[in-house]
Amino acid sequence: MSRLPDFEGLALFAKVAECRSFAAAARDLDLSVPTLSRGIARLEKRLGARLFNRTSRQLALTAFGTNLLDKATQLYRDAEEAEALARDQSASPRGTVRLAAPMTFGVRWVAPILPALFERYPELSVDLHLSDAVVDVIGEGFDAALRIASLPDSSLAARHICKVSRFTVAAPAYVARHGEPGHPRDLDPAHCLAYAFRAGSDVWRLRKGRKEEVVHPMGKLRVTNSEAMLPVLLAGQAVAALPEFIAAEYLRDGRLVPLLTDWEQSAGGLYFVTPTTRNRPAKVEAVADYFAEVLGDPTWRWPPKRDFRR
């Protein structure tokens, strides 16, 4: 005999006692009368006593059934309440969403848009984990993650939010000292800063049409967060490949200048990833839709749309 209590049998017993009829209880539960009867018989066998006295016209609880009824009914009601609460939580955006995001992107672009998210969904909260290291969404129990990558992890469900470009940049002082490169081969790898968490490998792939050049950064600084490159860059000591959401601010005010503008750094995308899209809770869907709405056409674009010549 299973050590797990016969919850189904106890629920069936409580429902039959409430309806005072096997047929009425079967209708309410959308079961056949034989199925219901077998459930009650199984419970009686397990408990070793009859629960009902049955005749062709009357159904009455035994003394044993009467003693058991209050607890069985409470169990049934608790289960109904638990299911109703779960359905409500899965249908309405409420509860906590455990969300992982890259450090700088999370601080600069996710945190500032959370107040409006909470205004829209007052019963929603976010547990925001910031790290440039790629987290194990499933293994670490996250509901979702924002990832900036060339390709999303194929084992996860990924929703593309927007394109994220990267630019080869340096300070005007660096260009004044070393000249402006006309070709990726003109870059000195010893001046190029490396980013430890770049997907694939720690190389720059620059493309111009069908041509591709590869640069292996070997500068004095290697970081796990791109923002940490800025002091060395702004001091005119190095070249870096920065994501658009960091670089745009410095390109606009001239503290950094773009290099090799005819050559594109390999672009990536911003993705909202989850373990699955099946039966995804409403709270996760709400956050995904909100990020797609707010970040789908981001303000960090450089050059701004009015400056595009396309």
Side-chain angles (χ1 to χ4, degrees):
M1 181 176 67
S2 171
R3 293 186 178 183
L4 185 68
D6 187 354
F7 294 109
E8 181 185 47
L10 290 166
L12 295 176
F13 163 60
K15 190 65 177 177
V16 171
E18 176 188 327
C19 295
R20 299 176 181 273
S21 164
F22 273 68
R27 284 194 300 272
D28 280 2
L29 297 172
D30 196 21
L31 296 174
S32 68
V33 172
T35 298
L36 183 60
S37 296
R38 285 194 296 271
I40 296 296
R42 183 186 67 240
L43 180 63
E44 289 178 331
K45 181 179 180 180
R46 180 186 179 103
L47 298 178
R50 290 181 61 81
L51 298 168
F52 297 102
N53 288 318
R54 283 166 276 186
T55 68
S56 60
R57 295 185 177 181
Q58 190 175 11
L59 178 70
L61 287 165
T62 65
F64 182 81
T66 300
N67 291 334
L68 180 64
L69 180 59
D70 285 346
K71 289 186 178 180
T73 300
Q74 186 60 52
L75 182 67
Y76 181 58
R77 298 296 177 228
D78 288 345
E80 281 190 319
E81 183 179 342
E83 282 197 352
L85 179 61
R87 283 195 298 269
D88 186 48
Q89 287 181 337
S90 66
S92 303
R94 63 173 58 182
T96 300
V97 175
R98 293 198 70 227
L99 176 70
M103 177 68 72
T104 297
F105 186 80
V107 171
R108 289 193 175 200
W109 300 104
V110 177
I113 65 175
L114 291 181
L117 174 69
F118 298 145
E119 286 285 342
R120 183 178 297 187
Y121 303 112
E123 296 182 89
L124 192 68
S125 59
V126 174
D127 182 354
L128 184 60
H129 174 92
L130 298 178
S131 173
D132 282 357
V134 177
V135 301
D136 180 353
V137 175
I138 298 174
E140 297 182 43
F142 286 99
D143 295 302
L146 287 169
R147 286 192 177 166
I148 299 170
S150 297
L151 290 174
D153 186 334
S154 59
S155 67
L156 301 171
R159 178 175 179 177
H160 183 262
I161 302 297
C162 67
K163 178 182 177 181
V164 178
S165 298
R166 285 196 301 150
F167 299 105
T168 310
V169 297
Y174 179 91
V175 176
R177 187 177 301 119
H178 300 282
E180 184 170 353
H183 191 279
R185 288 194 295 269
D186 297 334
L187 291 173
D188 184 346
H191 294 170
C192 298
L193 304 184
Y195 176 61
F197 290 138
R198 179 156 299 140
S201 59
D202 189 13
V203 299
W204 299 355
R205 299 185 183 279
L206 296 100
R207 294 182 177 87
K208 181 179 181 180
R210 295 184 178 181
K211 298 178 182 178
E212 180 180 276
E213 294 287 336
V214 174
V215 177
H216 295 269
M218 300 173 62
K220 294 181 178 180
L221 179 65
R222 186 170 185 264
V223 301
T224 58
N225 179 276
S226 294
E227 201 163 23
M229 298 178 181
L230 289 170
V232 175
L233 278 176
L234 296 173
Q237 297 177 2
V239 177
L242 289 183
E244 188 176 11
F245 58 83
I246 295 178
E249 171 188 347
Y250 299 90
L251 292 170
R252 286 192 183 101
D253 64 19
R255 284 179 288 171
L256 295 176
V257 294
L259 306 179
L260 302 169
T261 53
D262 291 338
W263 293 80
E264 290 188 352
Q265 287 269 1
S266 55
L270 174 65
Y271 295 89
F272 186 89
V273 299
T274 56
T276 179
T277 56
R278 294 184 59 189
N279 299 320
R280 197 157 63 183
K283 62 183 181 180
V284 177
E285 289 286 358
V287 173
D289 290 343
Y290 178 74
F291 286 156
E293 173 189 335
V294 178
L295 299 176
D297 187 17
T299 58
W300 69 66
R301 289 289 182 231
W302 185 88
K305 283 186 176 181
R306 64 179 180 274
D307 294 337
F308 282 173
R309 300 290 186 265
R310 296 182 181 178

